[in-house]
Amino acid sequence: MKRKGLLLLVCLLAASLVFTACGGQTDSKEEKNGEEVVELTRLLMATGGTGGTYYPLGGAIAEAWNEHIEGLEVTTQATGASVENLRLLGSGETELAMAMNGPAMAAYLGIGDFAGNPIDFSALGVIYPEVMQIVAPKGTGIVNVEDLRGKRVSIGPPGSGTASSAITILESFGIDPETDITKHQDNFTDAAMKLKDGHLDAAFAVLAVPAGNIVDVTTSTPVNIVNITGDGLNKLLEADPTFSPYEIPGGTYEGQDETAYTVSQWAVLYVPNDLPEDLVYQMTKVMYEQTEQIARTHARGDQITLDNATLGIDPVPFHPGAAKYFKEKGILE
């Protein structure tokens, strides 16, 4: 009797192994001790540096998903931000990527930083407006982009949307980032320290307004937010239509008494095309309907709105799950 039982167990194990080897999948729900157990879907979200907006905001969004979507567990990863995130998405090393719409357009079309290597992916939706803020201590006398020539300037870390945008902006003003400035590539946490210590003359940062790191700089060093205007701005908008003019009201930062004229893009959440439609639908719904919860963890949560959700996405298509939600809300046809 024991021998028969042992033989039956061996047969069952063999059948299980054959099923797995042939590509079978377990049901999403199973019974354990008479109770229904939900199998977890684990996703990784590529965000940005720990001192920026992406990393903590991504964590707040993940927390909302994990709480409101049964069986979903999203974790976040600190990265170099947009350009790196899109490459991670394209290689399958992450399932969710926060990125600026400018680098995303380049990735989808296979141009710029992605020349000859297009990536096929989808958009879930806009998170918040990304504002380029070129920060210079008042004592440097830097007021306009043209004043950066010959200065010590951090353009942002390698692989970031900040660095990619900074290069585009500088070149639109006829400034070669390799020869016309002393180029540094710090994350903004490090750049802020160098600005305060006098080791940098200016730093590019793509952050929400107001940005806590810039406020921190102004506690000891009044700053200018460098203006992006004139012919250089016109060339920039022509070269990259994902940029839009943006005004930062005077008084936003200590020392910045007048309106600063800069540009913005959009922070967007991108996903692989093969992520299940129902899952992406639920994630889209939670991200736009649980903004109060997200904002309690990170203030930028209050900028996640349906009014902005579909702006600046072209030419990247929406994931069918996101499109389904936006059609229900009447903001996509």
Side-chain angles (χ1 to χ4, degrees), residues 148-211:
L148 295 173
R149 193 180 298 274
K151 303 295 186 180
R152 301 165 300 171
V153 182
S154 174
I155 67 168
S160 69
T162 300
S164 177
S165 297
I167 290 168
T168 303
I169 291 167
L170 289 167
E171 290 177 344
S172 296
F173 283 81
I175 297 174
D176 186 329
E178 299 300 328
T179 60
D180 293 334
I181 62 172
T182 300
K183 185 179 74 173
H184 295 252
Q185 291 209 257
D186 305 293
N187 62 51
F188 195 71
T189 301
D190 293 337
M193 290 296 297
K194 289 183 178 181
L195 288 171
K196 289 193 289 187
D197 294 342
H199 296 147
L200 276 178
D201 299 310
F204 283 77
V206 177
L207 300 168
V209 177

Short mmCIF file of all heavy atoms in Angstrom, two decimals, residues 148-211:
data_model
loop_
_atom_site.label_atom_id
_atom_site.label_comp_id
_atom_site.label_asym_id
_atom_site.label_seq_id
_atom_site.Cartn_x
_atom_site.Cartn_y
_atom_site.Cartn_z
N LEU A 148 26.02 81.21 -19.60
CA LEU A 148 26.65 79.97 -19.14
C LEU A 148 27.98 79.69 -19.83
O LEU A 148 28.78 78.89 -19.34
CB LEU A 148 25.71 78.78 -19.38
CG LEU A 148 24.40 78.78 -18.58
CD1 LEU A 148 23.50 77.64 -19.05
CD2 LEU A 148 24.66 78.68 -17.09
N ARG A 149 28.22 80.35 -20.95
CA ARG A 149 29.45 80.12 -21.70
C ARG A 149 30.68 80.38 -20.79
O ARG A 149 30.77 81.40 -20.12
CB ARG A 149 29.50 81.03 -22.92
CG ARG A 149 30.58 80.66 -23.94
CD ARG A 149 30.55 81.63 -25.12
NE ARG A 149 29.29 81.58 -25.82
CZ ARG A 149 29.01 80.70 -26.80
NH1 ARG A 149 29.93 79.81 -27.16
NH2 ARG A 149 27.84 80.73 -27.41
N GLY A 150 31.59 79.41 -20.77
CA GLY A 150 32.82 79.55 -19.98
C GLY A 150 32.64 79.24 -18.50
O GLY A 150 33.60 79.36 -17.73
N LYS A 151 31.45 78.81 -18.07
CA LYS A 151 31.18 78.57 -16.65
C LYS A 151 31.25 77.09 -16.31
O LYS A 151 31.26 76.21 -17.17
CB LYS A 151 29.80 79.12 -16.28
CG LYS A 151 29.60 80.60 -16.59
CD LYS A 151 30.50 81.47 -15.75
CE LYS A 151 30.17 82.96 -15.97
NZ LYS A 151 31.04 83.84 -15.16
N ARG A 152 31.29 76.81 -15.00
CA ARG A 152 31.25 75.44 -14.49
C ARG A 152 29.78 75.05 -14.33
O ARG A 152 29.09 75.59 -13.47
CB ARG A 152 31.98 75.34 -13.16
CG ARG A 152 33.45 75.76 -13.21
CD ARG A 152 34.01 75.98 -11.81
NE ARG A 152 33.28 77.04 -11.10
CZ ARG A 152 33.43 77.33 -9.82
NH1 ARG A 152 34.28 76.64 -9.07
NH2 ARG A 152 32.73 78.32 -9.27
N VAL A 153 29.34 74.11 -15.17
CA VAL A 153 27.91 73.82 -15.25
C VAL A 153 27.66 72.32 -15.14
O VAL A 153 28.26 71.52 -15.88
CB VAL A 153 27.31 74.33 -16.58
CG1 VAL A 153 25.80 74.05 -16.62
CG2 VAL A 153 27.60 75.81 -16.78
N SER A 154 26.77 71.93 -14.23
CA SER A 154 26.33 70.54 -14.17
C SER A 154 25.10 70.39 -15.06
O SER A 154 24.10 71.10 -14.88
CB SER A 154 25.97 70.12 -12.75
OG SER A 154 25.42 68.81 -12.75
N ILE A 155 25.18 69.46 -16.02
CA ILE A 155 24.05 69.27 -16.95
C ILE A 155 23.14 68.13 -16.51
O ILE A 155 22.14 67.84 -17.18
CB ILE A 155 24.54 69.04 -18.39
CG1 ILE A 155 25.29 67.70 -18.50
CG2 ILE A 155 25.41 70.20 -18.86
CD1 ILE A 155 25.55 67.27 -19.94
N GLY A 156 23.46 67.47 -15.40
CA GLY A 156 22.67 66.33 -14.96
C GLY A 156 23.42 65.04 -15.17
O GLY A 156 24.36 64.97 -15.96
N PRO A 157 23.03 63.98 -14.45
CA PRO A 157 23.78 62.72 -14.51
C PRO A 157 23.68 62.03 -15.85
O PRO A 157 22.68 62.19 -16.56
CB PRO A 157 23.13 61.87 -13.40
CG PRO A 157 21.79 62.48 -13.20
CD PRO A 157 21.90 63.93 -13.51
N PRO A 158 24.70 61.25 -16.23
CA PRO A 158 24.64 60.50 -17.48
C PRO A 158 23.41 59.59 -17.52
O PRO A 158 23.04 58.99 -16.51
CB PRO A 158 25.93 59.66 -17.46
CG PRO A 158 26.84 60.39 -16.54
CD PRO A 158 25.96 61.02 -15.50
N GLY A 159 22.77 59.52 -18.68
CA GLY A 159 21.59 58.66 -18.81
C GLY A 159 20.31 59.28 -18.33
O GLY A 159 19.26 58.63 -18.31
N SER A 160 20.34 60.55 -17.95
CA SER A 160 19.12 61.20 -17.44
C SER A 160 18.47 62.06 -18.51
O SER A 160 19.12 62.54 -19.44
CB SER A 160 19.46 62.07 -16.22
OG SER A 160 20.23 63.20 -16.62
N GLY A 161 17.15 62.27 -18.35
CA GLY A 161 16.46 63.19 -19.23
C GLY A 161 16.95 64.61 -19.04
O GLY A 161 16.93 65.42 -19.98
N THR A 162 17.40 64.93 -17.83
CA THR A 162 17.95 66.26 -17.56
C THR A 162 19.15 66.53 -18.46
O THR A 162 19.24 67.58 -19.11
CB THR A 162 18.37 66.40 -16.09
OG1 THR A 162 17.22 66.20 -15.25
CG2 THR A 162 18.94 67.79 -15.81
N ALA A 163 20.10 65.58 -18.51
CA ALA A 163 21.29 65.77 -19.33
C ALA A 163 20.94 65.86 -20.81
O ALA A 163 21.47 66.72 -21.53
CB ALA A 163 22.27 64.63 -19.09
N SER A 164 20.04 65.00 -21.26
CA SER A 164 19.63 65.02 -22.66
C SER A 164 19.00 66.36 -23.02
O SER A 164 19.32 66.97 -24.06
CB SER A 164 18.64 63.88 -22.92
OG SER A 164 18.17 63.91 -24.25
N SER A 165 18.12 66.87 -22.16
CA SER A 165 17.46 68.16 -22.41
C SER A 165 18.45 69.31 -22.32
O SER A 165 18.38 70.26 -23.11
CB SER A 165 16.33 68.37 -21.40
OG SER A 165 15.33 67.40 -21.55
N ALA A 166 19.36 69.23 -21.35
CA ALA A 166 20.36 70.30 -21.19
C ALA A 166 21.20 70.45 -22.45
O ALA A 166 21.48 71.57 -22.90
CB ALA A 166 21.24 70.02 -19.98
N ILE A 167 21.61 69.34 -23.01
CA ILE A 167 22.42 69.39 -24.24
C ILE A 167 21.63 70.03 -25.37
O ILE A 167 22.14 70.88 -26.11
CB ILE A 167 22.89 67.97 -24.61
CG1 ILE A 167 23.93 67.49 -23.60
CG2 ILE A 167 23.47 67.94 -26.03
CD1 ILE A 167 24.26 66.01 -23.70
N THR A 168 20.36 69.65 -25.51
CA THR A 168 19.51 70.23 -26.56
C THR A 168 19.36 71.73 -26.36
O THR A 168 19.42 72.51 -27.32
CB THR A 168 18.12 69.55 -26.56
OG1 THR A 168 18.28 68.15 -26.73
CG2 THR A 168 17.25 70.10 -27.69
N ILE A 169 19.16 72.16 -25.11
CA ILE A 169 19.00 73.59 -24.82
C ILE A 169 20.29 74.35 -25.12
O ILE A 169 20.27 75.39 -25.80
CB ILE A 169 18.59 73.78 -23.34
CG1 ILE A 169 17.16 73.27 -23.13
CG2 ILE A 169 18.69 75.26 -22.93
CD1 ILE A 169 16.76 73.13 -21.68
N LEU A 170 21.41 73.85 -24.63
CA LEU A 170 22.69 74.54 -24.86
C LEU A 170 22.97 74.66 -26.36
O LEU A 170 23.36 75.74 -26.84
CB LEU A 170 23.82 73.78 -24.17
CG LEU A 170 23.83 73.85 -22.63
CD1 LEU A 170 24.79 72.82 -22.06
CD2 LEU A 170 24.19 75.25 -22.15
N GLU A 171 22.77 73.59 -27.10
CA GLU A 171 23.05 73.62 -28.54
C GLU A 171 22.12 74.57 -29.27
O GLU A 171 22.52 75.20 -30.26
CB GLU A 171 22.96 72.21 -29.12
CG GLU A 171 24.11 71.31 -28.65
CD GLU A 171 24.00 69.88 -29.15
OE1 GLU A 171 22.89 69.49 -29.60
OE2 GLU A 171 25.01 69.15 -29.09
N SER A 172 20.89 74.73 -28.78
CA SER A 172 19.94 75.68 -29.40
C SER A 172 20.43 77.12 -29.23
O SER A 172 20.08 78.00 -30.02
CB SER A 172 18.55 75.52 -28.79
OG SER A 172 18.02 74.25 -29.08
N PHE A 173 21.24 77.34 -28.20
CA PHE A 173 21.81 78.67 -27.95
C PHE A 173 23.23 78.79 -28.48
O PHE A 173 23.95 79.74 -28.16
CB PHE A 173 21.76 78.99 -26.46
CG PHE A 173 20.40 79.39 -25.96
CD1 PHE A 173 19.45 78.44 -25.67
CD2 PHE A 173 20.07 80.74 -25.80
CE1 PHE A 173 18.18 78.81 -25.21
CE2 PHE A 173 18.82 81.13 -25.35
CZ PHE A 173 17.86 80.16 -25.06
N GLY A 174 23.66 77.81 -29.27
CA GLY A 174 25.00 77.86 -29.87
C GLY A 174 26.13 77.57 -28.91
O GLY A 174 27.27 77.95 -29.16
N ILE A 175 25.83 76.90 -27.81
CA ILE A 175 26.84 76.56 -26.81
C ILE A 175 27.16 75.07 -26.91
O ILE A 175 26.26 74.22 -26.78
CB ILE A 175 26.36 76.90 -25.39
CG1 ILE A 175 26.12 78.41 -25.26
CG2 ILE A 175 27.37 76.43 -24.34
CD1 ILE A 175 25.50 78.82 -23.93
N ASP A 176 28.42 74.73 -27.16
CA ASP A 176 28.85 73.34 -27.24
C ASP A 176 29.13 72.85 -25.82
O ASP A 176 30.04 73.36 -25.15
CB ASP A 176 30.11 73.23 -28.09
CG ASP A 176 30.53 71.78 -28.34
OD1 ASP A 176 30.27 70.93 -27.47
OD2 ASP A 176 31.12 71.51 -29.40
N PRO A 177 28.37 71.86 -25.34
CA PRO A 177 28.56 71.41 -23.95
C PRO A 177 29.92 70.76 -23.70
O PRO A 177 30.33 70.62 -22.54
CB PRO A 177 27.42 70.40 -23.74
CG PRO A 177 27.01 69.99 -25.11
CD PRO A 177 27.25 71.16 -26.00
N GLU A 178 30.62 70.39 -24.76
CA GLU A 178 31.93 69.75 -24.58
C GLU A 178 33.07 70.77 -24.53
O GLU A 178 34.11 70.50 -23.91
CB GLU A 178 32.19 68.76 -25.73
CG GLU A 178 31.18 67.62 -25.80
CD GLU A 178 31.14 66.77 -24.54
OE1 GLU A 178 32.20 66.64 -23.89
OE2 GLU A 178 30.06 66.25 -24.20
N THR A 179 32.89 71.92 -25.20
CA THR A 179 34.01 72.87 -25.30
C THR A 179 33.72 74.25 -24.73
O THR A 179 34.65 74.98 -24.38
CB THR A 179 34.44 73.03 -26.77
OG1 THR A 179 33.33 73.53 -27.54
CG2 THR A 179 34.89 71.69 -27.36
N ASP A 180 32.43 74.63 -24.66
CA ASP A 180 32.10 76.01 -24.27
C ASP A 180 31.77 76.17 -22.80
O ASP A 180 31.60 77.30 -22.31
CB ASP A 180 30.93 76.53 -25.12
CG ASP A 180 31.30 76.69 -26.59
OD1 ASP A 180 32.49 76.87 -26.87
OD2 ASP A 180 30.40 76.62 -27.44
N ILE A 181 31.66 75.07 -22.08
CA ILE A 181 31.47 75.12 -20.63
C ILE A 181 32.41 74.09 -20.00
O ILE A 181 32.92 73.20 -20.68
CB ILE A 181 30.02 74.80 -20.20
CG1 ILE A 181 29.64 73.37 -20.63
CG2 ILE A 181 29.03 75.81 -20.76
CD1 ILE A 181 28.30 72.88 -20.09
N THR A 182 32.63 74.22 -18.70
CA THR A 182 33.30 73.15 -17.96
C THR A 182 32.19 72.24 -17.46
O THR A 182 31.46 72.57 -16.52
CB THR A 182 34.11 73.71 -16.77
OG1 THR A 182 35.10 74.62 -17.28
CG2 THR A 182 34.79 72.60 -16.01
N LYS A 183 32.04 71.11 -18.13
CA LYS A 183 30.87 70.25 -17.93
C LYS A 183 31.05 69.33 -16.72
O LYS A 183 32.06 68.66 -16.57
CB LYS A 183 30.62 69.40 -19.18
CG LYS A 183 29.36 68.55 -19.10
CD LYS A 183 29.15 67.75 -20.37
CE LYS A 183 30.12 66.58 -20.46
NZ LYS A 183 29.82 65.69 -21.60
N HIS A 184 30.04 69.33 -15.86
CA HIS A 184 29.94 68.38 -14.75
C HIS A 184 28.66 67.58 -14.96
O HIS A 184 27.72 68.05 -15.60
CB HIS A 184 29.87 69.11 -13.41
CG HIS A 184 31.11 69.88 -13.08
ND1 HIS A 184 32.01 69.49 -12.10
CD2 HIS A 184 31.61 71.04 -13.58
CE1 HIS A 184 33.00 70.36 -12.03
NE2 HIS A 184 32.78 71.32 -12.92
N GLN A 185 28.63 66.36 -14.39
CA GLN A 185 27.41 65.54 -14.54
C GLN A 185 27.00 64.95 -13.20
O GLN A 185 27.05 63.76 -12.96
CB GLN A 185 27.62 64.45 -15.60
CG GLN A 185 27.74 65.04 -17.00
CD GLN A 185 27.27 64.10 -18.08
OE1 GLN A 185 28.08 63.49 -18.75
NE2 GLN A 185 25.95 64.00 -18.26
N ASP A 186 26.58 65.84 -12.32
CA ASP A 186 26.15 65.45 -10.98
C ASP A 186 24.64 65.23 -10.95
O ASP A 186 23.88 65.85 -11.70
CB ASP A 186 26.47 66.57 -9.98
CG ASP A 186 27.94 66.96 -10.00
OD1 ASP A 186 28.76 66.13 -9.60
OD2 ASP A 186 28.25 68.09 -10.44
N ASN A 187 24.18 64.37 -10.02
CA ASN A 187 22.76 64.40 -9.71
C ASN A 187 22.51 65.70 -8.94
O ASN A 187 23.45 66.32 -8.43
CB ASN A 187 22.32 63.17 -8.92
CG ASN A 187 23.01 63.06 -7.57
OD1 ASN A 187 23.02 64.01 -6.77
ND2 ASN A 187 23.61 61.90 -7.30
N PHE A 188 21.24 66.12 -8.85
CA PHE A 188 21.03 67.46 -8.31
C PHE A 188 21.31 67.56 -6.82
O PHE A 188 21.62 68.64 -6.32
CB PHE A 188 19.62 67.99 -8.63
CG PHE A 188 19.53 69.48 -8.39
CD1 PHE A 188 20.17 70.36 -9.24
CD2 PHE A 188 18.87 69.98 -7.29
CE1 PHE A 188 20.14 71.74 -9.02
CE2 PHE A 188 18.82 71.35 -7.05
CZ PHE A 188 19.46 72.23 -7.92
N THR A 189 21.23 66.46 -6.10
CA THR A 189 21.60 66.50 -4.68
C THR A 189 23.05 66.93 -4.53
O THR A 189 23.39 67.81 -3.72
CB THR A 189 21.38 65.13 -4.03
OG1 THR A 189 20.00 64.75 -4.16
CG2 THR A 189 21.75 65.16 -2.56
N ASP A 190 23.94 66.32 -5.33
CA ASP A 190 25.35 66.68 -5.28
C ASP A 190 25.59 68.07 -5.87
O ASP A 190 26.40 68.85 -5.35
CB ASP A 190 26.19 65.65 -6.04
CG ASP A 190 26.18 64.29 -5.37
OD1 ASP A 190 25.92 64.24 -4.14
OD2 ASP A 190 26.42 63.28 -6.06
N ALA A 191 24.87 68.37 -6.96
CA ALA A 191 25.04 69.69 -7.60
C ALA A 191 24.64 70.80 -6.63
O ALA A 191 25.28 71.85 -6.58
CB ALA A 191 24.21 69.77 -8.87
N ALA A 192 23.57 70.57 -5.86
CA ALA A 192 23.11 71.58 -4.90
C ALA A 192 24.19 71.88 -3.86
O ALA A 192 24.43 73.04 -3.50
CB ALA A 192 21.83 71.11 -4.22
N MET A 193 24.86 70.83 -3.39
CA MET A 193 25.94 71.03 -2.43
C MET A 193 27.08 71.85 -3.06
O MET A 193 27.64 72.76 -2.44
CB MET A 193 26.48 69.68 -1.96
CG MET A 193 25.53 68.89 -1.08
SD MET A 193 25.16 69.73 0.48
CE MET A 193 26.80 69.75 1.22
N LYS A 194 27.40 71.55 -4.30
CA LYS A 194 28.48 72.26 -4.98
C LYS A 194 28.11 73.72 -5.24
O LYS A 194 28.96 74.61 -5.19
CB LYS A 194 28.83 71.56 -6.29
CG LYS A 194 29.53 70.22 -6.10
CD LYS A 194 29.91 69.61 -7.45
CE LYS A 194 30.66 68.31 -7.28
NZ LYS A 194 31.05 67.72 -8.60
N LEU A 195 26.83 73.98 -5.53
CA LEU A 195 26.39 75.36 -5.72
C LEU A 195 26.56 76.15 -4.42
O LEU A 195 27.03 77.28 -4.42
CB LEU A 195 24.92 75.39 -6.16
CG LEU A 195 24.61 74.95 -7.59
CD1 LEU A 195 23.10 74.82 -7.79
CD2 LEU A 195 25.18 75.94 -8.61
N LYS A 196 26.19 75.52 -3.31
CA LYS A 196 26.30 76.20 -2.02
C LYS A 196 27.76 76.41 -1.62
O LYS A 196 28.10 77.42 -0.99
CB LYS A 196 25.57 75.39 -0.94
CG LYS A 196 24.07 75.41 -1.06
CD LYS A 196 23.37 74.89 0.17
CE LYS A 196 23.51 73.41 0.35
NZ LYS A 196 22.68 72.89 1.47
N ASP A 197 28.63 75.46 -2.01
CA ASP A 197 30.04 75.55 -1.63
C ASP A 197 30.87 76.37 -2.62
O ASP A 197 32.08 76.54 -2.43
CB ASP A 197 30.65 74.14 -1.54
CG ASP A 197 30.04 73.33 -0.40
OD1 ASP A 197 29.44 73.94 0.50
OD2 ASP A 197 30.15 72.09 -0.42
N GLY A 198 30.25 76.84 -3.70
CA GLY A 198 30.96 77.63 -4.69
C GLY A 198 31.78 76.82 -5.68
O GLY A 198 32.64 77.37 -6.38
N HIS A 199 31.50 75.52 -5.79
CA HIS A 199 32.25 74.66 -6.70
C HIS A 199 31.58 74.51 -8.06
O HIS A 199 32.13 73.85 -8.95
CB HIS A 199 32.47 73.27 -6.07
CG HIS A 199 33.29 73.34 -4.82
ND1 HIS A 199 33.12 72.47 -3.75
CD2 HIS A 199 34.32 74.16 -4.46
CE1 HIS A 199 33.98 72.76 -2.81
NE2 HIS A 199 34.72 73.79 -3.21
N LEU A 200 30.38 75.08 -8.21
CA LEU A 200 29.68 75.12 -9.49
C LEU A 200 29.11 76.51 -9.68
O LEU A 200 28.76 77.20 -8.71
CB LEU A 200 28.51 74.12 -9.51
CG LEU A 200 28.75 72.65 -9.87
CD1 LEU A 200 27.43 71.88 -9.77
CD2 LEU A 200 29.34 72.50 -11.27
N ASP A 201 29.00 76.93 -10.94
CA ASP A 201 28.38 78.22 -11.25
C ASP A 201 26.90 78.08 -11.58
O ASP A 201 26.13 79.03 -11.42
CB ASP A 201 29.10 78.88 -12.44
CG ASP A 201 30.57 79.14 -12.13
OD1 ASP A 201 30.85 79.71 -11.06
OD2 ASP A 201 31.43 78.75 -12.95
N ALA A 202 26.50 76.90 -12.07
CA ALA A 202 25.10 76.68 -12.44
C ALA A 202 24.84 75.19 -12.55
O ALA A 202 25.77 74.40 -12.75
CB ALA A 202 24.77 77.38 -13.76
N ALA A 203 23.57 74.82 -12.43
CA ALA A 203 23.20 73.41 -12.57
C ALA A 203 21.83 73.31 -13.21
O ALA A 203 20.91 74.06 -12.86
CB ALA A 203 23.20 72.72 -11.21
N PHE A 204 21.70 72.38 -14.15
CA PHE A 204 20.41 72.06 -14.76
C PHE A 204 19.68 71.06 -13.87
O PHE A 204 20.29 70.11 -13.36
CB PHE A 204 20.60 71.43 -16.13
CG PHE A 204 20.96 72.39 -17.24
CD1 PHE A 204 22.26 72.90 -17.35
CD2 PHE A 204 20.02 72.78 -18.18
CE1 PHE A 204 22.60 73.77 -18.37
CE2 PHE A 204 20.35 73.66 -19.21
CZ PHE A 204 21.64 74.15 -19.31
N ALA A 205 18.39 71.25 -13.71
CA ALA A 205 17.59 70.29 -12.95
C ALA A 205 16.18 70.27 -13.52
O ALA A 205 15.58 71.32 -13.75
CB ALA A 205 17.54 70.67 -11.47
N VAL A 206 15.67 69.08 -13.78
CA VAL A 206 14.28 68.94 -14.20
C VAL A 206 13.51 68.45 -12.98
O VAL A 206 13.63 67.29 -12.57
CB VAL A 206 14.13 67.95 -15.37
CG1 VAL A 206 12.66 67.76 -15.72
CG2 VAL A 206 14.90 68.47 -16.59
N LEU A 207 12.75 69.37 -12.39
CA LEU A 207 12.06 69.10 -11.13
C LEU A 207 10.70 69.77 -11.13
O LEU A 207 10.42 70.64 -11.95
CB LEU A 207 12.88 69.63 -9.95
CG LEU A 207 14.29 69.05 -9.74
CD1 LEU A 207 15.05 69.90 -8.73
CD2 LEU A 207 14.22 67.61 -9.29
N ALA A 208 9.86 69.35 -10.20
CA ALA A 208 8.59 70.04 -10.01
C ALA A 208 8.85 71.41 -9.39
O ALA A 208 9.93 71.70 -8.89
CB ALA A 208 7.69 69.21 -9.10
N VAL A 209 7.84 72.28 -9.45
CA VAL A 209 7.94 73.64 -8.88
C VAL A 209 6.95 73.78 -7.73
O VAL A 209 5.77 73.48 -7.91
CB VAL A 209 7.64 74.70 -9.96
CG1 VAL A 209 7.66 76.10 -9.37
CG2 VAL A 209 8.67 74.61 -11.10
N PRO A 210 7.39 74.24 -6.56
CA PRO A 210 8.79 74.50 -6.17
C PRO A 210 9.51 73.20 -5.86
O PRO A 210 8.89 72.22 -5.45
CB PRO A 210 8.65 75.37 -4.93
CG PRO A 210 7.35 74.93 -4.32
CD PRO A 210 6.45 74.58 -5.47
N ALA A 211 10.82 73.18 -6.05
CA ALA A 211 11.63 71.99 -5.80
C ALA A 211 12.32 72.12 -4.45
O ALA A 211 13.00 73.11 -4.18
CB ALA A 211 12.66 71.83 -6.91
#
